[in-house]
């Protein structure tokens, strides 16, 4: 069965739109983009468009590519102190001269809509409720739940150990009592590991790395990866055609995990807005 991320994301967005309409003020997300990375600009525009469709405010702050560490940190401070701003997102990757970790640490954890702040990551990893959690892993879990795919006691292999996807996803799945293996570029014979998995989640960024030989019969296959073919076509880490008849459930690319990420971002924005209201 093909997991329809677009449909599930749309349902979540409709629910969020209803919730936002009930509020007396609009949740506001501020997105900082440094430099002119074309992919980043596309993502930022999409986030802004969706936020506005839901009735939220979205502010995009464009900074020059030679912005200094201090200028960027000062801008974040300004947003931290502004009570009208509920969520802050710094679009990654940042230009190389900037220290990404220090920038993320500068964001007030209660406004950290991406869930990347060490306080939020730390709380997630020790089983405490963070203010927010990373959007893509959260979206993956929501997809599994939407299709009633059991997580508890399942043998789950994540390929990729980034701070954005692989590691937070491992924490979230452990919290749901899965047995989690995280594979990466130095893992030997990954195929032998994935062949035993009930659920394989690929977050690598290597087009069609995974074919049906990697997958056991009736496994669930979730494809986070996005690469572009020379013709500009979006490709996942999984060779969909090869795997689709062997897997019990599979996400397509595009239309699988991608739409969920943005839905989770806007869900996080509303959640942070509500938390900040409670604290007033
Ligand atoms: P990343 O930071 O580049 O991490 C990639 C991970 O894959 C690393 O842990 C790396 O191992 C591992 N890896 C690389 N080659 C490998 C191989 N041949 N075998 C096994 N593991 C390998 O990327 P990311 O930010 O996590 O993103 C991963 C993919 O998901 C990308 O394609 C990205 O575009 C996509 N993505 C999609 C969404 C969405 O909304 N759909 C959101 C975020 C990311 P090492 O740690 O050893 O280097």
């Amino acid at each position: 069965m093909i997991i329809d991320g677009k449909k599930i994301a749309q349902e979540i967005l409709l629910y969020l739109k209803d919730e936002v309409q009930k509020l007396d003020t609009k949740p506001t997300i501020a997105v900082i983009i440094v430099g002119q990375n074309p992919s980043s600009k596309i993502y930022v525009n999409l986030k802004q468009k969706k936020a506005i469709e839901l009735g939220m405010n979205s502010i995009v702050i464009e900074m020059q590519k030679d912005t200094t560490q201090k200028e960027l940190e000062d801008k974040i401070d300004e947003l931290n102190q502004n009570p009208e701003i509920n969520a802050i997102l710094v679009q990654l990757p940042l230009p190389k001269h900037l220290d990404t970790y220090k920038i993320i640490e500068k964001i007030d954890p209660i406004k950290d809509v991406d869930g990347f702040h060490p306080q939020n990551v730390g709380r997630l990893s020790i089983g405490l409720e963070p203010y927010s959690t990373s959007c893509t892993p959260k979206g993956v879990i929501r997809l599994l739940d939407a299709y009633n795919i059991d997580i508890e006691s399942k043998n789950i292999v994540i390929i990729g150990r980034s701070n954005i996807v692989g590691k937070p996803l491992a924490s979230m799945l452990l919290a749901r009592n899965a047995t989690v293996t995280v594979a990466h570029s130095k893992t030997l014979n990954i195929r032998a590991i994935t062949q035993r998995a009930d659920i394989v989640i690929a977050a690598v960024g290597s087009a069609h790395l995974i074919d049906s030989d990697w997958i056991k019969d009736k496994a669930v296959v979730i494809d986070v990866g996005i690469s572009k073919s020379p013709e500009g076509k979006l490709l996942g880490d999984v060779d969909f055609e090869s795997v689709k008849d062997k897997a019990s459930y599979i996400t397509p690319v595009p239309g699988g995990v991608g739409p969920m990420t943005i839905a989770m971002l806007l869900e996080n924005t509303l959640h942070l807005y509500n938390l900040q209201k409670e604290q007033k």
Side-chain angles (χ1 to χ4, degrees), residues 92-112:
L92 302 179
L94 287 170
K96 292 229 169 352
H97 67 280
L98 297 170
D99 183 334
T100 302
Y101 290 112
K102 272 197 179 154
I103 297 294
I104 290 170
E105 242 181 317
K106 201 72 188 157
I107 300 172
D108 184 338
I110 204 170
K111 295 191 175 187
D112 166 37

Side-chain angles (χ1 to χ4, degrees), residues 64-131:
Q64 299 297 322
K65 73 169 186 305
D66 58 358
T67 297
T68 65
Q69 182 82 18
K70 178 158 187 329
E71 283 166 341
L72 182 51
E73 290 189 12
D74 287 349
K75 178 54 74 183
I76 292 171
D77 264 340
E78 187 189 311
L79 298 171
N80 282 340
Q81 278 151 31
N82 183 345
E84 312 264 291
I85 303 291
N86 307 109
I88 303 170
L89 184 156
V90 178
Q91 185 65 40
L92 302 179
L94 287 170
K96 292 229 169 352
H97 67 280
L98 297 170
D99 183 334
T100 302
Y101 290 112
K102 272 197 179 154
I103 297 294
I104 290 170
E105 242 181 317
K106 201 72 188 157
I107 300 172
D108 184 338
I110 204 170
K111 295 191 175 187
D112 166 37
V113 70
D114 260 336
F116 294 164
H117 190 285
Q119 183 177 316
N120 286 323
V121 175
R123 289 181 72 90
L124 173 69
S125 71
I126 60 171
L128 293 175
E129 182 80 18
Y131 291 126

Side-chain angles (χ1 to χ4, degrees), residues 136 159-162 164-165 183-186 190 203-205 209 224-227 237 257-258 261:
T136 302
I159 316 174
R161 58 172 163 182
S162 72
I164 294 173
V165 187
H184 47 79
S185 69
K186 304 288 184 285
I190 298 188
V204 178
L209 173 73
V224 179
I226 304 175
S227 321
D237 290 344
V257 175
T261 298

Side-chain angles (χ1 to χ4, degrees), residues 261-276:
T261 298
I262 191 138
M264 294 300 101
L265 178 77
L266 297 168
E267 188 177 270
N268 281 355
T269 303
L270 178 60
H271 179 63
L272 295 180
Y273 169 94
N274 286 329
L275 284 178
Q276 288 160 34

